[in-house]
Amino acid sequence: MQEPLVGAGGEAAAARPRIERQAVTRVFDGITCYEVPARAALERVPEAAELPFAWGASPYRGCEAGCGYCTARRGHRYLGLDPGTDFATKIVVKTDLARRLRRELASPRWGGDPVALGLTGDCYQPAEEIYRLMPGVIRALADAANPFTVLTKSPLVLRDLDLLRDVAKVTQVGALVSVGFVDDRVRRAVEPGAATPQRRLEICAALNEAGIPCGVLMAPILPLITDSTDHLLATVRRAAEAGAVSVTPIVLRLPAGAREWYLRWLEREHPGLVPRYQALYGRGQVAEEGYRLRIAEQVRALAETYGIGRDARRWRRRRSPARQLALV
């Protein structure tokens, strides 16, 4: 169902969130979409994100997956929206992103750095089925021969597989599928709207078999919940079985916006862990450095054991990738 709602003026408008006073608002099956022009296409990636990218571009702000830990939640505050309840149901749509991106990529000041797609909301979330912004974004990057990487949890990325393969002939194209853990019970609790870890690993396998290098963004690793040796080993092993070209571990970050929402869930579901989180994070957004280094080293060692990132692997699958993924 679609309900066009054009912002009203006067006192009624003043009482509404700022984004509603600036956007064309439409509702699709209970999800509110705010259509806005992009103020900028290319945005700096904060160093605290621990991602191997300096620049990102995102068609959407907010995400229907509703992951309780998502660091992009804080952006809703600046729009006059609730970073908790509104993040998964009120999505900002940058309808002219491809046009704006073309202009910025053509600027003599642009250095051609790799671009990450989908940092402020999954670029293949359900809204993409309606707006279809990604093909235009991909073509803009292709026409500039600018390397890029797609970050996603969504099977919808496979819709554009042929396009990605064509673009890979003119520039470097990659993908990172976010799989922080493979326990689906945890996924149902903290990633209620996301595809299962199994489905995401199947996406990783499909992209790699199609010639699009795809790694696993092992993010986030949840302290005291998914950081055990068994959890880490299972996730890295399954990534290897999916043919992941890399695995990048990132421990849970708790910036303002995400912190309140996640800790509220933790108090409800795991109250005994709250004091330990307070000790691990203090008043900051990142966990204690020694803990993060230990987790990174564990994952690095497991990735080495399973041969992730190498053509010649010491570890061998006992089943074909397709059969193995279907059975786990």
Side-chain angles (χ1 to χ4, degrees):
M1 180 183 70
Q2 176 178 337
E3 301 175 16
L5 300 173
V6 180
E11 293 182 4
R16 299 167 69 189
R18 179 166 58 88
I19 185 65
E20 292 191 1
R21 303 197 300 271
Q22 299 172 341
V24 173
T25 305
R26 305 184 193 277
V27 178
F28 301 95
D29 295 327
I31 302 298
T32 301
C33 292
Y34 300 117
E35 299 176 1
V36 299
R39 297 178 61 184
L42 294 163
E43 299 177 315
R44 280 280 187 185
V45 177
E47 288 187 15
E50 301 181 82
L51 292 170
F53 305 99
W55 295 93
S58 300
Y60 307 101
R61 182 176 293 279
C63 186
E64 293 177 59
C67 300
Y69 51 72
C70 186
T71 57
R73 286 180 176 273
R74 66 184 303 174
H76 265 44
R77 281 184 166 180
Y78 308 130
L79 305 173
L81 300 172
D82 187 329
T85 56
D86 289 343
F87 183 73
T89 59
K90 296 186 177 181
I91 312 298
V92 178
V93 183
K94 303 174 186 177
T95 52
D96 68 339
L97 183 68
R99 180 188 62 78
R100 179 80 188 198
L101 183 59
R102 284 184 178 277
R103 188 165 69 182
E104 294 181 15
L105 292 172
S107 169
R109 294 177 294 176
W110 175 245
D113 292 341
V115 174
L117 302 178
L119 293 176
T120 62
D122 197 317
C123 51
Y124 282 103
Q125 62 181 288
E128 172 63 13
E129 296 188 66
I130 298 167
Y131 288 97
R132 300 184 66 88
L133 299 180
M134 281 299 291
V137 169
I138 292 169
R139 291 189 183 100
L141 288 157
D143 290 345
N146 202 102
F148 65 92
T149 297
V150 176
L151 279 62
T152 188
K153 291 185 174 81
S154 172
L156 187 59
V157 65
L158 300 179
R159 179 200 67 189
D160 292 341
L161 186 54
D162 289 342
L163 175 60
L164 291 169
R165 293 176 68 181
D166 287 343
V167 171
K169 298 173 184 176
V170 298
T171 192
Q172 184 176 352
V173 177
L176 285 172
V177 175
S178 177
V179 185
F181 41 84
V182 293
D183 187 331
D184 199 49
R185 293 170 299 177
V186 179
R187 192 275 309 173
R188 289 193 295 269
V190 297
E191 300 173 340
T196 66
Q198 165 67 19
R199 185 68 183 102
R200 287 178 243 167
L201 290 166
E202 291 171 353
I203 296 165
C204 179
L207 288 167
N208 278 308
E209 291 192 9
I212 304 299
C214 182
V216 165
L217 192 62
M218 200 168 160
I221 295 168
L222 306 176
L224 311 173
I225 298 174
T226 65
D227 63 349
S228 69
T229 299
D230 287 347
H231 270 107
L232 299 179
L233 187 150
T235 304
V236 174
R237 175 177 61 81
R238 296 270 295 276
E241 290 167 354
V245 299
S246 64
V247 58
T248 305
I250 298 178
V251 171
L252 174 73
R253 290 173 52 233
L254 293 175
R259 185 184 186 96
E260 297 86 344
W261 191 249
Y262 180 82
L263 291 181
R264 193 176 305 148
W265 170 80
L266 194 72
E267 289 173 354
R268 184 175 66 251
E269 301 296 330
H270 302 282
L273 296 183
V274 173
R276 298 174 70 183
Y277 265 75
Q278 291 172 338
L280 188 60
Y281 284 86
R283 296 183 179 181
Q285 64 174 280
V286 297
E288 191 271 327
E289 184 179 17
Y291 171 84
R292 290 185 286 117
L293 291 175
R294 176 171 62 82
I295 294 294
E297 175 55 27
Q298 284 183 270
V299 173
R300 185 207 63 76
L302 288 167
E304 171 67 17
T305 297
Y306 287 105
I308 294 178
R310 296 201 311 273
D311 291 333
R313 300 183 178 180
R314 289 183 293 177
W315 175 76
R316 301 292 180 185
R317 303 182 184 93
R318 289 183 291 177
R319 302 181 178 91
S320 70
R323 184 180 179 190
Q324 180 77 13
L325 286 169
L327 291 174
V328 289

